[in-house]
Amino acid sequence: MSRPKNDTFLRALLKEPTEYTPLWLMRQAGRYLPEYCETRKRAGDFLKLCQSPALACEVTLQPLARYDLDAAILFSDILTVPDAMGLGLYFAEGEGPRFERPLREEWAINNLSAPDPYEHLGYVMDAVGEIRRALDNAVPLIGFSGSPYTLACYMVEGRGSSDFRHIKSMLYQRPDLLHRILAVTADAVTHYLNAQIDSGAQAVMLFDTWGGSLSHAAYREFSLAYMQRIVAGLHKEKDGQRIPCIVFTKNGGLWLEDIAAIGCDALGLDWTVDIGEARRRVGDKVALQGNLDPNVLFAAPEIVAAEAKKVLDSFGPGNTGHVFNLGHGISQFTPPESVTALVETVHAHSRSWRRQ
């Protein structure tokens, strides 16, 4: 299997020379696009959209039809894994995801087991295969999962949380129970990502959305250690091609050196970190991905362009090791034309360096 026709994203992750800085956006297929909203309406609800390989393929490709992006990312949700573990995922209108059976009882935690990704998450693998066929090797496809700690936050709280009261109570009162959840979930995520790779994903990403809510010591013990376990267990090659791995902890600026040391190929940065300083801190150990504040996209196109150039200039001239992205997922309220300005600026400004 050869690399995609546009393999700039993969080369950047592997710190190989590129003609320009590649770009993709977290949550690039989403509610800011009117065509996505139409497809979601046709699906009936968000979960049905995720569980239909044909519709998941359709929305994955929508942003690539509009914008000159350098990678596609599988359309799915991080909570498909705990749903496959039997927690009963559902989406309450206007209130986000909920679980019918959150993990609060010791017996339930002891009974937890990692699902077979082909048996319980076969619709995701079918979507990966369908998307790869539809892309026809034009750009790479990114697979992903939530990190064990982030998934555990939802699994224990039963929903999104502002104070993480239940999981942090468990962390301090019964760390053995939380470690049990995290160990099983780490196995589940490893199997899930490897199944995505075997089905056609050409790079994978771990989203550690809530790791940054932990104390310094707790982050290393309850989040980073389990991500390191996953990275060590991932397939590194498929059909003779390297499969890069990106790790992203939101609010993880304190731990960049630690994350860079776990064996991943690239480190995702949120917008609170100066990317030039991050580059100095991690050296050439990993590539960097990021890190424009998503809310910049609410500004006029010329402001979007100016702020994008600031990120590129901070990373510094050079032709290796940077994938441009937002510092978190794109907002549903983003004007689509702002993304046009962003993509055009990143490609043009970074190409101008290469010609110097």
Side-chain angles (χ1 to χ4, degrees):
M1 182 71 69
S2 59
R3 274 190 177 184
K5 298 178 190 80
N6 175 2
D7 67 348
T8 316
F9 165 74
L10 296 175
R11 282 189 280 135
L13 289 182
L14 296 172
K15 302 189 297 299
E16 297 173 5
T18 59
E19 295 76 41
Y20 61 90
T21 300
L23 166 78
W24 71 279
L25 305 175
M26 287 188 271
R27 213 182 291 139
Q28 66 189 22
R31 286 178 287 177
Y32 74 106
L33 293 176
E35 55 267 41
Y36 168 87
C37 295
E38 282 299 312
T39 308
R40 178 167 166 164
K41 192 173 170 185
R42 217 166 68 239
D45 62 42
F46 178 74
L47 211 47
K48 286 178 186 161
L49 182 55
C50 290
Q51 291 171 345
S52 163
L55 294 181
C57 177
E58 185 178 312
V59 295
T60 297
L61 298 181
Q62 284 170 348
L64 278 82
R66 256 189 196 256
Y67 309 116
D68 186 21
L69 296 162
D70 295 288
I73 182 166
L74 164 71
F75 182 82
S76 189
D77 192 86
I78 63 169
L79 299 182
T80 55
V81 171
D83 183 44
M85 295 162 103
L87 273 66
L89 176 65
Y90 69 100
F91 284 80
E93 193 60 42
E95 294 182 17
R98 302 277 187 92
F99 283 111
E100 293 171 7
R101 295 173 289 279
L103 293 175
R104 305 276 175 82
E105 305 294 334
E106 189 164 348
W107 65 266
I109 293 167
N110 287 331
N111 284 345
L112 200 64
S113 63
D116 180 323
Y118 291 102
E119 183 183 346
H120 301 286
L121 291 159
Y123 63 90
V124 177
M125 307 315 142
D126 291 343
V128 171
E130 193 158 336
I131 295 161
R132 276 297 308 275
R133 288 188 292 276
L135 284 171
D136 193 26
N137 229 18
V139 296
L141 175 63
I142 306 164
F144 73 92
S145 174
S147 71
Y149 182 74
T150 292
L151 295 180
C153 285
Y154 290 100
M155 292 159 75
V156 174
E157 298 292 334
R159 57 186 294 181
S161 175
S162 57
D163 61 6
F164 303 102
R165 179 166 52 94
H166 296 290
I167 192 166
K168 288 201 172 184
S169 295
M170 185 184 292
L171 186 155
Y172 292 113
Q173 292 252 111
R174 290 294 307 274
D176 57 313
L177 294 184
L178 183 51
H179 277 302
R180 162 77 186 157
I181 295 170
L182 294 169
V184 174
T185 305
D187 286 345
V189 169
T190 305
H191 299 326
Y192 181 53
L193 290 177
N194 281 334
Q196 289 183 40
I197 291 167
D198 289 342
S199 300
Q202 292 152 294
V204 291
M205 181 161 171
L206 270 175
F207 285 91
D208 186 32
T209 310
W210 300 123
S213 67
L214 290 165
S215 73
H216 188 65
Y219 174 74
R220 294 162 183 260
E221 181 180 350
F222 293 95
S223 183
L224 191 65
Y226 289 96
M227 291 196 291
Q228 183 167 16
R229 187 185 298 191
I230 291 165
V231 171
L234 289 176
H235 298 333
K236 303 297 188 289
E237 275 195 15
K238 170 74 173 165
D239 297 329
Q241 298 294 322
R242 277 276 284 115
I243 309 294
C245 169
I246 309 160
V247 173
F248 170 65
T249 294
K250 190 182 177 196
N251 296 320
L254 286 171
W255 306 297
L256 299 185
E257 295 89 345
D258 297 325
I259 303 169
I262 68 171
C264 55
D265 297 287
L267 184 54
L269 305 172
D270 70 15
W271 66 90
T272 64
V273 179
D274 179 87
I275 197 167
E277 178 60 25
R279 190 181 186 187
R280 285 187 286 278
R281 284 170 60 186
V282 303
D284 61 358
K285 212 173 240 176
V286 291
L288 295 177
Q289 179 176 278
N291 65 334
L292 186 73
D293 181 349
N295 288 340
V296 166
L297 295 175
F298 296 136
E302 61 272 18
I303 305 295
V304 173
E307 292 296 322
K309 287 176 184 176
K310 284 181 189 174
V311 173
L312 290 165
D313 292 346
S314 178
F315 183 85
N319 60 353
T320 59
H322 183 203
V323 172
F324 197 99
N325 208 312
L326 303 177
H328 197 50
I330 191 167
S331 164
Q332 67 185 52
F333 305 110
T334 300
E337 57 272 18
S338 293
V339 178
T340 304
L342 177 64
V343 174
E344 290 176 355
T345 299
V346 170
H347 285 164
H349 191 63
S350 58
R351 279 183 195 278
S352 70
W353 280 344
R354 310 304 199 266
R355 290 194 292 268
Q356 289 170 12

